[in-house]
Amino acid sequence: MDAESLLLALELASGSGQGLSPDRRASLLTSLMLVKRDYRFDRVLFWGRILGLVADYYIAQGVSEDQLAPRKTLYSLNCMEWSLLPPATKEMETQTSVVKGRFMGDPSHEYEHTELQKVNEGEKVFEEEVVVQIKEETRLVSVIDQIDKAVAVIPRGALFKTPFGPINVNRTFEGLSLSEAKKLSSYFHFREPVELKNKTLLEKAELDPSLDFMDSLEHDIPKGCSDFPEVHPSGSILEDNGQCSGNFSG
Amino acid sequence: MGDPPPDPEPPSQPTSSSRNSQVSERRRSRERTRPLVPEELQQIPLDPQILRGSQEVLSNQSNLRGWPQRASLTPNENLVFQAEDPYVNPGFSAEVQPQAYLSEGRLQASHNASLMLPQLQQGEGNLFQQLESAYQGSPADLPGQFTMYQREDLPFSQGTQHGPYMRDDPTLQFSPSELGFMSFNMELPEPEPRELAVQNAKAYLLQTSVNSDLSLYEHLANLLTKILNQRPEDPLFLLESLNRTTQWEWFHPKLDTLRDDPEMQPTYEMAERQKALFGRSSSGEGEQEMEEETAETAVPNIMEKAFYFEQAGVGLSSDESFRVFMALKQLVEQQPIHTCRFWGKILGLSRSYLVAEVEFREGEEEAEEEEVEEMTEGGEGMEAHGEEEGDEDEDKATDVIPKPTWKPPPVIPKEDSRTGTNRYLYFVCNEPGRPWMRLPHVTPIQIVQARKIRKFFTGYLDAPVISYPPFPGNEANYLRAQIARISAATHISPLGFYQFGEEEGDEEEEGGAGRDSYEENPDFEGIPVLELVDSMANWVHHTQHILPQGRCTWVNPLQKTEEEEELGEEEEKADEGVEEVEQEVGPPLLTPLSEDAGNLRTSTSAGVTSTVLRTSTHPCQPPFSTSTPAARTL
């Protein structure tokens, strides 16, 4: 949700029962402005909230000129002070995949995970229990990254690609018509394309290189995991991804 | 036999013009007679004379092109007149076609019933020619072709004179497809085999294709109408492309390039429905104000509660809360409700559910319950009877198959209304403005199974729940079971807000079941917020815990009722002493949350919502419970 249209977007996404109290909203508006100024972002987006046992994390992402470039992620516990998170790497993902359960809410908390590791001592090989400590911050980073890769969705036509490379916001995009908005093919995964190269030449011939440079939602497995439950009275549609329920994109 | 039509003439001789006059004469004559099925049958023996001539032509036909089948059948021509109206919708022509087809069938049936099908196919080709020939007839019959609703047994009474007024005739309100079978069966003592064959053939043609809503019938009707309108030079040669074009047009309606067709968008429909909500409420309010100043309505103050939940960061937006409020008001007006509470919203894949927790007034709901119980009891009686018969047969057989000793576990009876898990009734609707639907009571086995599975809700109450272990019921039952579990686990209140009544008997007398009712404590003073947040001992559950059995009060499943004892006397002695079920006990009502089982990560915790301290607490506000994040109870 763009910081500029935050209140409107929050209203639209409220159908799920998740919302923000008025004090949080007010503090978000103020602090996001400051973040934008300090980090010199082109746009600051309020990504959402991750619930923890003791406290909740509020996540924001800053976008520079190239829309598809990796974004900088910040988190805050009170919506006023924001801290930058390190970018996500593959090792983080494998490391944190063993941790299950809820977030604590304390960024310095460390999860302990005991692993059996084979240790070579001379000629003997025996297994030792090694306790691996995983920081909650790392886990936060990788979870945000996974959710983004799985669920971030953008309608077709909102971004376009120029021959120079950077991807820009399409200022003439007014939104999709109602009939188009219900089709899965008018939405793309907002990430580097994975399946685009695997398409046959025939399929590629129908695509427009300036608009269709990301994976469409049509070919997701399992089918129907991204579904559009209801049409809001104002005409907007909320997408609910079955894999990450609790993640909404307006 | 009825009166034969006055002009039976062999078809081979007359020219087209005279033929058409004959046709119109014949039509008029038939209008005078009563439009009954027997008349049609009578026409069949008459027609064979005519038909025999054409039969030869038919059988000799190898090449159907361009043959203006003068030897066509008069019944067909009549119908065909009506068929080729250019203004008739494809739907109408579909209805007209059956009649042409029927008589076609009759024709061949009279010839040889067993060769029906191949001749039917041939007959389709005949239709082309007959249509053409008939079209060359009097175009003045156009008004008579506005026969929107035609009965199959009235093919000959649709005359030119009646024209557009036929629509107003109440007896003609039924489309032939509806009456096709009924009319024959009502007026004929025994449907003749050819009638049946004709009906079967028609039913087969009317089957809609798997991929679309189009049936072969309609498609052929569209195609023929199109051909007749366009009158191409060599229709058979162009048949393929015409076929494709017709199919394409069915799915791509022609858009007017000058004017925009306003779409019936689903948003408009939704707005219409919700408008009804507002309209009714405003009129209701006016009446109430006149009568009483402070009327005790069962509808809770949703807006106030929504405000408090919003402070905690939970809840629906304000306009949605308002719509929910309107919808609850509507529910209270429709049903005899004593107390009502907005339980919450459950999200589903296609649609969501708004759930209202309701108590009926005394004695109101028992009528519905009895019907359901009667049905289930009838089923059980049948099953017992079946077992007895099975035993007898096996004794007689020489090779006795060993009987399996496994018996399904006894069915645990569900709890009575207003007790335990079925204490409240639940109504659901998908959106404010849609009708409220009542959920059935929950049975213990459903709760037990619901504990084992995790399924998304689709939003349709009658959707099946396909899972392993199999869930006994559809989505309505699954929803009800999950609502019961959520309610039992998460409805809490501050310590001291509710207390037990003083009239309760000893706990021992009730068999350790515990008290199951409570009342508000009039002397309750709020607990400071900090204390509420710090320790979970200050919050208590005020709903009964659900035992592993699936009920709130324990029932010994081995206790047999009287009926079962009569049937299974021999088996009882073997079983006794082998199984003894332990009584299940759960925590009594009003236990604090600190006694909840589970480690730190799955228990309940509370947090202060804002930095501003509040001095009083609102008792209806459950804190955030992490054990059931799937729904928020409001």
Side-chain angles (χ1 to χ4, degrees), chain A residues 11 14-23 25 49 51 53 100-102 104 178 182 229-233 242, chain B residues 265-267 270 310-311 313-317 319-320 323 345 347 349-350 352 456 600-601 605 610 626 629 632:
Chain A
E11 281 282 320
S14 61
S16 66
Q18 303 273 352
L20 289 180
S21 54
D23 60 340
R25 263 184 264 156
R49 174 169 75 173
L51 305 170
L53 279 183
K100 308 227 189 283
R102 300 180 209 285
M104 273 305 291
L178 197 62
K182 290 198 177 170
E230 40 198 67
V231 181
H232 196 265
Chain B
Q265 293 187 356
T267 42
M270 207 162 64
E310 195 190 349
Q311 300 297 312
V314 167
L316 309 169
S317 62
D319 61 314
E320 189 159 355
R323 273 182 243 267
K345 180 172 175 178
L347 305 173
L349 290 176
S350 319
S352 309
F456 280 118
L600 184 60
R601 298 264 289 278
S605 63
S610 67
T626 53
R632 301 232 173 223

Side-chain angles (χ1 to χ4, degrees), chain B residues 478-490:
Chain B
Y478 182 55
L479 179 63
R480 179 68 181 84
Q482 299 292 33
I483 290 175
R485 287 178 64 209
I486 293 172
S487 294
T490 54

Side-chain angles (χ1 to χ4, degrees), chain B residues 88-104:
Chain B
V88 171
N89 269 338
F92 301 152
S93 54
E95 291 160 20
V96 172
Q97 287 299 328
Q99 305 178 20
Y101 200 73
L102 250 186
S103 37
E104 192 60 42

Side-chain angles (χ1 to χ4, degrees), chain B residues 122-138:
Chain B
Q122 230 186 17
E124 280 184 30
N126 285 344
L127 270 177
F128 282 98
Q129 280 67 37
Q130 285 146 20
L131 286 173
E132 280 193 14
S133 58
Y135 192 72
Q136 286 154 16
S138 56

Side-chain angles (χ1 to χ4, degrees), chain A residues 134-166:
Chain A
I134 304 168
K135 279 200 192 158
E136 176 139 315
E137 246 186 34
T138 325
R139 190 177 172 214
L140 191 62
V141 165
S142 65
V143 160
I144 294 175
D145 191 52
Q146 280 169 12
I147 294 179
D148 263 343
K149 286 209 173 107
V151 179
V153 146
I154 198 146
R156 180 173 186 268
L159 301 179
F160 70 95
K161 191 171 180 178
T162 57
F164 302 112

